[in-house]
Amino acid sequence: MHAHLLSRTLLMPTIGWIFIALAAITILGTLYKVYITAYKMPISEEKMRLIKARKAELEEQERQEKDNK
């Protein structure tokens, strides 16, 4: 009877550690995948030009609003 209780008390923490390890591996794997793909966002020259033009518009608009206050 004691052997059964001993194996049962050792089994629960082992399963808990396995779940914790799997969760940690999953999180780290996901973060690594995001890290290696983060810089692979090719933007065409046309889109980049539009983005910069829109940014300049917004900055000018904010400057005018600030001057009007």
Side-chain angles (χ1 to χ4, degrees):
M1 175 120 184
H2 291 290
H4 177 66
L5 288 176
L6 182 61
S7 68
R8 186 172 180 157
T9 57
L10 291 177
L11 181 63
M12 291 303 288
T14 304
I15 289 175
W17 284 110
I18 290 172
F19 282 132
I20 290 171
L22 287 174
I25 290 169
T26 301
I27 291 168
L28 291 175
T30 303
L31 289 174
Y32 178 71
K33 186 167 185 150
V34 168
Y35 174 76
I36 62 173
T37 59
Y39 297 106
K40 296 181 182 177
M41 286 185 52
I43 297 176
S44 69
E45 290 181 23
E46 177 65 19
K47 278 193 173 187
M48 185 57 77
R49 187 185 61 75
L50 291 173
I51 290 170
K52 288 180 180 180
R54 179 65 178 145
K55 181 180 176 187
E57 275 181 38
L58 290 173
E59 287 174 351
E60 180 62 30
Q61 190 177 25
E62 287 174 357
R63 196 174 310 119
Q64 287 176 0
E65 287 175 2
K66 187 177 178 183
D67 291 341
N68 289 339
K69 286 186 177 182

